[in-house]
Amino acid sequence: MEKPVLLVVDDEPNIRRILQVGFDKVGYHTLVAPDVSSAIQTLGQEHVDVVLTDVTMPVRTGYELLREVKSGWPNIPVVIMTAFGTIPQAVQAIRDGAYEFVTKPFDLDNLKRIVASALDQPAKPNASGSRPKSSPAIFDFIAASPAMREVVETVRQVADSRATVMVWGETGVGKEVIAKALHAASSRNKKPLVAISCAAIPETLLESELFGYEKGAFTGANGSKAGKFESANQGTLFLDEVGEIPMSVQVKLLRVLQERECERLGGLKPTKVDVRLVTATNRDLKAAVDQGLFRLDLLYRLQVVELHIPPLRNRLEDIQPLAELFLKKFALENDRTPLVLADAALQALLSYRWPGNVRELENCLERATVLAARSQNELDLRLLPSALIRAA
C-alpha cells in the first residue's frame, strides 16, 4: 500500500522538521517547502494527497497558496495553520475551500487526526463544484422575496460542503427549515438529520444528550446510550438555540469540532464521528462573547457560513405564497377543499407585523381552516384573529 503524501509548507525550518519527522513516523511520505513558490513547484512535479500550510510567510501567504491549489488541484484538501489572532481570516479560508484550520502552537496528535480526516474525505466529482447527482434540489422552499432568494442561493452553494453553518433569525422565521434544506441538498441526505433544541434540555442533561454515556457514568445510568453526535454520524446534526449551551459543554463541543471525535461520559476512548453541524440562534452571540457567556473560538468554528433569515414583516412578497402553501397543507390534513384568500384577508396578512413570524402565520391559517364551515370556500376576515382584523 502506497504511503499518503503530505506537503508541509512553512518558512520555519524547525517547524518543517518537526512535522516531517512526526508524520513520517505514522506512515506518511512528507514533502516540505519553505514558501508558496516552492510548494507550487512541488505540486507540479509530485503526487500530493494533502497540503498543510502556514499562513504568514515571506512574499506570498498561505491563503494565496490555497487559491492556487483550489484552482489547479481542486481535489487536494488544504489544512491551514494559523495564529489565534488571525482566526477570522482562517474562517474565511474555509469558506474559500480550505478543509480545516488549526491554531499555533499546535498539538501534533490533533494535527495528525485532522490530516487523516482530510485524507478520508471523498473526492469532488468535478472541478466545477457542482452538487453530486444523488443530491436533490431544495424542497418546497418559498423564496419570493429577494432576501430569501439570496438565502436559498447560499444554501445551494454550501449544502454539499462540510463547512459549519450558523442560521440567525428571530423565533419562528424557519431556521429548522433551512437546516432541513441544507441536509436535503447535500450528499449526506441518505443519512440521518438529527435535531436537538439546546434550550429545551436541562444543563445537567445536555452533555449526555450530545455526547452519550456509558453504564454507571452517573446515578441512574443503568445502560449505555449513544449521543446525538454518534446518532448523526455521516449525516447532519442541527443544534437549535446554540447560544443556550453552557460554557462547560462548549469546551467539549469545540473539541469535537477540532478533532472529529467525541467521548461518552464515563467512556475510556473517543469515537470518530463525521458530522456536518448546522446551528441556529436568535441571540447576539458576539454580545454573549463580550459578556463571557460564549467562547470566541467556538463562535469562529460555528459561523464559517452565516445565514441571516429576515423576519416575515421584512419580506412581504413571501406572505401570499406561504399562506397558499399552508392552506393547501391544512386542507389536506382536514379532508377539505383549500380555502382561497379573499382580498381583504390578504390585505390583513400583509398589514400585520407577525411577531411570531412564519410559525405564527402557519398557526393562524390552521385555525382558519379548522373554523371554516365545510361549505365555505373563501377565507375572509371573520376567520382571522382579532389582532389581524385590527391591522387590516
Side-chain angles (χ1 to χ4, degrees):
M1 182 177 178
E2 291 186 4
K3 294 181 177 180
V5 180
L6 170 67
L7 173 59
V8 172
V9 188
D10 198 299
D11 61 325
E12 291 287 341
N14 287 340
I15 297 293
R16 295 198 301 271
R17 188 176 306 113
I18 289 169
L19 291 173
Q20 185 172 33
V21 171
F23 277 94
D24 283 352
K25 279 184 177 179
V26 291
Y28 290 82
H29 173 51
T30 310
L31 307 173
V32 295
D35 52 46
V36 173
S37 296
S38 301
I40 294 171
Q41 184 177 356
T42 300
L43 286 163
Q45 297 172 347
E46 304 279 352
H47 168 77
V48 173
D49 294 303
V50 185
V51 172
L52 175 60
T53 181
D54 190 19
V55 169
T56 306
M57 293 179 285
V59 186
R60 303 178 71 186
T61 69
Y63 300 133
E64 293 176 87
L65 176 58
L66 169 65
R67 288 192 288 271
E68 293 277 2
V69 174
K70 292 295 108 179
S71 175
W73 301 271
N75 287 332
I76 298 179
V78 178
V79 178
I80 298 284
M81 296 183 291
T82 182
F84 182 81
T86 60
I87 286 182
Q89 291 89 344
V91 168
Q92 182 60 49
I94 293 183
R95 293 171 183 155
D96 293 339
Y99 176 78
E100 184 59 281
F101 71 86
V102 62
T103 55
K104 287 185 170 182
F106 53 78
D107 177 276
L108 186 56
D109 289 337
N110 181 39
L111 195 54
K112 289 174 182 175
R113 283 189 286 269
I114 290 172
V115 170
S117 178
L119 271 174
D120 289 341
Q121 72 168 346
K124 293 181 179 179
N126 53 57
S128 67
S130 60
R131 261 193 337 268
K133 291 180 180 178
S134 62
S135 177
I138 296 173
F139 54 92
D140 292 338
F141 206 92
I142 299 298
S145 64
M148 287 308 294
R149 286 201 298 268
E150 184 176 337
V151 169
V152 170
E153 182 55 34
T154 303
V155 169
R156 293 187 189 280
Q157 290 175 356
V158 306
D160 210 39
S161 74
R162 63 183 295 278
T164 56
V165 178
M166 179 171 283
V167 187
W168 303 78
E170 295 178 4
T171 299
V173 292
K175 297 187 287 291
E176 187 165 359
V177 174
I178 296 292
K180 290 177 179 178
L182 283 162
H183 181 72
S186 77
S187 55
R188 296 174 179 265
N189 57 51
K190 304 299 183 185
K191 298 296 182 177
L193 167 63
V194 177
I196 180 172
S197 173
C198 301
I201 298 174
E203 181 177 332
T204 53
L205 297 179
L206 183 58
E207 184 175 3
S208 62
E209 282 293 316
L210 288 175
F211 310 114
Y213 56 84
E214 296 292 352
K215 182 178 180 180
F218 50 83
T219 302
N222 298 320
S224 299
K225 179 183 177 182
K228 300 300 184 184
F229 272 96
E230 289 183 66
S231 299
N233 193 36
Q234 297 185 333
T236 303
L237 176 60
F238 174 55
L239 301 183
D240 197 9
E241 303 299 344
V242 69
E244 303 302 321
I245 295 180
M247 291 289 280
S248 58
V249 180
Q250 290 178 35
V251 175
K252 198 164 184 178
L253 176 57
L254 180 63
R255 183 176 177 84
V256 174
L257 292 175
Q258 289 174 333
E259 303 190 12
R260 302 289 163 182
E261 59 184 25
C262 65
E263 188 171 317
R264 295 182 182 181
L265 294 178
L268 299 177
K269 63 178 183 178
T271 301
K272 297 286 289 184
V273 288
D274 171 21
V275 173
R276 203 288 180 75
L277 190 63
V278 179
T279 63
T281 184
N282 58 11
R283 293 182 58 187
D284 182 351
L285 293 187
K286 294 182 177 65
V289 169
D290 294 338
Q291 296 164 10
L293 300 175
F294 206 85
R295 293 179 63 102
L296 180 60
D297 47 3
L298 177 59
L299 181 58
Y300 284 138
R301 291 278 178 180
L302 296 179
Q303 62 177 18
V304 172
V305 176
E306 296 178 79
L307 288 173
H308 292 264
I309 313 302
L312 188 57
R313 61 185 172 274
N314 292 346
R315 46 186 174 109
L316 298 181
E317 300 95 329
D318 293 332
I319 289 179
Q320 183 172 356
L322 278 169
E324 291 171 350
L325 177 69
F326 291 143
L327 288 172
K328 291 176 182 177
K329 170 187 174 182
F330 294 124
L332 185 64
E333 290 180 3
N334 290 277
D335 192 27
R336 61 161 298 150
T337 303
L339 295 170
V340 177
L341 279 170
D343 290 342
L346 176 58
Q347 187 56 48
L349 298 184
L350 294 173
S351 301
Y352 186 59
R353 296 288 291 170
W354 297 110
N357 290 292
V358 178
R359 187 178 299 143
E360 184 182 8
L361 174 64
E362 183 177 13
N363 293 340
C364 171
L365 296 173
E366 181 177 18
R367 172 185 183 274
T369 300
V370 171
L371 292 178
R374 286 281 171 178
S375 59
Q376 188 170 351
N377 295 321
E378 188 175 67
L379 192 161
D380 56 33
L381 278 176
R382 292 172 298 174
L383 292 173
L384 296 179
S386 56
L388 272 76
I389 296 174
R390 288 195 298 269

